């Protein structure tokens, strides 16, 4: 299978060649404000699943049949419309999430990538990630997605215990997961991430750590640890509320997380974000855009985005949410070119709150240089240096305000750009999927 159109076929071939040459060494530095306004990440939401997992409250649907040609056309149309509206000239990464996007046809993935490449610049070495479930992606289908332009996989493995997988409502077994993982690593070496869950009802620390150790014999260079979050409206929430299952123990979950961090660190993984671990430089550049408060466009039913609609003459970043229901979303896209249901302009304070909340999730924290992209008038020390609450957090070791930043606040020059505000990632915390 190949991308439709000679231009797209050329992009896919160049992308595969670039990925063979390229080894991500880590998250890149912050772009200049001028360039940052013209670049963005793209998230594409495929809303359909085979079944609903017992813990999931994401925007997903179990259809009797999917009119994929219509869905594909609308995804292409909305991507083109929002790229033009945003004024984005360079797409840094594309992430196909869901739902279960590995249930979509590789032709749909190819068509979206072709539309992006025709509307903006999609570099050959852009990260193109596809979320996949083990039961929906045999090796031949994974290869087809690779031919369509996907160069990174995120596999929803969640557990290596069949009893836990049944509790979670997953459709795969532990053997299915390991088989898919092995095939994924063969086709996308160094570019496979797995999701692994902790804090399930009645889960035991020792047994969970044994699973994690076993996974390290099979996994690639990126792993996400997510604590189970009981969400109202899910089957698992109802079972706990009714007393059918015991409530997860937060203290045991914290112990799993802390001990899991040690295991991963000893295996050579860097914890570059609260829930995410990478070695050999295999950070998720797409998610790094979120945590650095970069622009991203949300395409598809219920997708979220953050960008400045320059095509409409605006100079304010907006938080956008697309219409949730697939049928209604498609009707709106066919009528208006996009299905944006909600637009919320972000004020200066709201944007800075997002910079803080997201940046403090990472091990890098918020550097003076990064902060100045969003607040050029006040330095980190101007804002936080004398703050009573911040001082208390500093004394407790829960926050770090780099001494070079403090020095830089009193003198001009390169030293100021080295300052950073960071959290102490070694402290106990509970993680959850974004």
């Amino acid at each position: 299978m190949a991308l439709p159109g000679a231009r797209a076929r050329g992009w896919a071939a160049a992308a595969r060649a670039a990925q063979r040459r390229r080894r991500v060494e880590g998250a890149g530095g912050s772009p200049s404000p001028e360039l940052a306004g013209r670049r963005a990440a793209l998230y594409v939401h495929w809303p359909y699943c085979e079944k609903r997992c017992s813990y999931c409250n994401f925007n997903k649907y179990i259809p009797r049949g999917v009119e994929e040609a219509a869905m594909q056309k609308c995804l292409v149309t909305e991507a083109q419309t929002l790229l033009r509206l945003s004024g984005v000239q360079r797409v840094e990464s594309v992430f196909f999430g869901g739902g279960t996007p590995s249930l979509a046809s590789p032709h749909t993935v190819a068509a979206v990538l072709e539309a992006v490449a025709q509307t903006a610049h999609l570099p050959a070495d852009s990260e193109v990630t596809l979320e996949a479930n083990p039961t929906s992606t045999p090796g031949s289908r994974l290869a087809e997605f690779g031919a369509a332009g996907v160069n990174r996989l995120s596999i929803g493995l969640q557990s290596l215990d069949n009893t836990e997988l049944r509790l979670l409502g997953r459709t795969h077994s532990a053997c299915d997961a390991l088989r898919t993982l092995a095939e994924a690593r063969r086709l996308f070496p160094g570019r496979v991430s797995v999701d692994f869950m902790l804090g399930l009802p009645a889960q035991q620390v020792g047994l969970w750590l044994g699973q994690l150790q076993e996974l390290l014999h099979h996994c690639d260079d990126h792993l996400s640890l997510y604590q189970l979050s009981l969400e109202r409206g899910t089957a698992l929430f109802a079972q706990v509320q009714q007393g059918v299952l015991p409530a997860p123990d937060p203290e045991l979950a914290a112990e799993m997380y802390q001990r899991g961090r040690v295991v991963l660190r000893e295996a050579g993984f860097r914890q570059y974000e609260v829930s995410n671990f990478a070695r050999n430089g295999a950070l998720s550049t797409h998610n790094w855009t979120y945590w650095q408060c970069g622009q991203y466009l949300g395409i598809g039913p219920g997708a979220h985005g953050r960008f400045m609609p320059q095509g409409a003459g605006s100079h304010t970043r907006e938080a956008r949410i697309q219409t949730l229901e697939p049928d209604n979303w498609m009707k709106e896209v066919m009528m208006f070119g996009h299905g944006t249901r909600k637009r919320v302009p972000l004020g200066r304070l709201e944007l800075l709150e997002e910079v803080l909340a997201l940046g403090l999730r990472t091990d890098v924290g918020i550097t003076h240089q990064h902060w100045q992209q969003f607040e050029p008038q006040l330095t980190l020390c101007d804002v936080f240096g004398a703050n009573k609450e911040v001082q208390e957090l500093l004394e407790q070791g829960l926050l770090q305000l780099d001494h070079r930043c403090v020095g830089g606040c009193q003198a001009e020059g390169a030293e100021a750009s080295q300052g950073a505000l960071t959290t102490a990632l070694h402290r106990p915390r509970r993680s959850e999927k974004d």
Side-chain angles (χ1 to χ4, degrees), residues 19-53:
Q19 287 301 328
R20 285 193 294 269
R21 296 191 305 268
R22 179 175 180 256
R23 197 66 173 159
V24 180
E25 295 300 334
S30 300
S32 66
E34 295 78 13
L35 180 58
R38 300 195 302 271
R39 62 200 294 179
L42 189 76
Y43 173 80
V44 183
H45 190 74
W46 181 263
Y48 303 117
C49 283
E50 291 178 316
K51 64 171 292 188
R52 181 174 291 277
C53 296

Side-chain angles (χ1 to χ4, degrees), residues 335-347:
M335 290 179 63
F336 308 114
H338 64 89
T340 303
R341 176 60 60 90
K342 187 175 183 180
R343 298 169 54 185
V344 180
L346 296 177

Side-chain angles (χ1 to χ4, degrees), residues 80-273:
Q80 292 172 326
T81 299
L82 294 188
L83 281 169
R84 295 188 183 111
L85 181 63
S86 66
V88 167
Q89 297 179 10
R90 178 186 176 97
V91 175
E92 303 280 82
S93 65
V94 182
F95 193 104
F96 291 88
T100 310
S102 51
L103 291 174
S105 164
H107 288 281
T108 293
V109 170
V112 172
L113 293 175
E114 179 185 12
V116 173
Q118 290 177 346
T119 310
H121 178 47
L122 182 62
D125 62 350
S126 295
E127 180 186 271
V128 180
T129 302
L130 179 86
E131 286 187 340
N133 282 346
T135 50
S136 64
T137 46
S140 59
R141 191 170 182 84
L142 289 178
E144 290 179 347
F145 280 121
V150 172
N151 54 43
R152 183 177 182 273
L153 292 177
S154 177
I155 299 178
L157 186 144
Q158 311 305 357
S159 174
L160 288 179
D161 181 281
N162 287 330
T163 300
E164 291 178 354
L165 289 170
R166 287 192 293 270
L167 174 69
L168 295 171
R170 305 296 286 174
T171 59
H172 67 270
S173 67
C175 288
D176 293 332
L178 293 179
R179 183 168 53 249
T180 300
L181 181 54
E183 187 65 13
R185 292 186 66 189
R186 184 183 70 82
L187 293 168
F188 304 91
R191 308 284 290 177
V192 180
S193 177
V194 294
D195 291 351
F196 199 58
M197 195 172 287
L198 61 88
L200 277 60
Q203 196 173 45
Q204 298 179 37
V205 176
L207 293 178
W208 180 82
L209 285 171
Q211 287 188 55
L212 181 59
Q213 292 280 14
E214 173 66 15
L215 180 58
L216 289 177
H217 294 299
H218 303 276
C219 77
D220 209 336
D221 290 336
H222 193 282
L223 191 147
S224 299
L225 289 186
Y226 293 127
Q227 181 182 346
L228 171 68
S229 178
L230 287 177
E231 302 291 349
R232 188 176 298 276
T234 64
L236 203 57
F237 178 90
Q239 288 175 296
V240 171
Q241 289 290 104
Q242 295 164 8
V244 177
L245 291 172
D249 186 331
E251 294 302 320
L252 287 181
E255 184 180 351
M256 289 179 196
Y257 177 69
Q258 290 288 49
R259 294 179 65 177
R261 292 178 64 244
V262 173
V263 169
L264 291 172
R265 183 169 63 246
E266 291 176 348
F269 284 85
R270 165 191 167 193
Q271 184 181 12
Y272 70 101
E273 191 267 345

Side-chain angles (χ1 to χ4, degrees), residues 27 270 272 288 292 359 362-367 420-422 425:
R270 165 191 167 193
Y272 70 101
W288 192 258
Q292 290 289 285
T362 71
D363 63 344
V364 173
I366 304 161
T367 66
L421 182 70
T422 61
L425 275 174

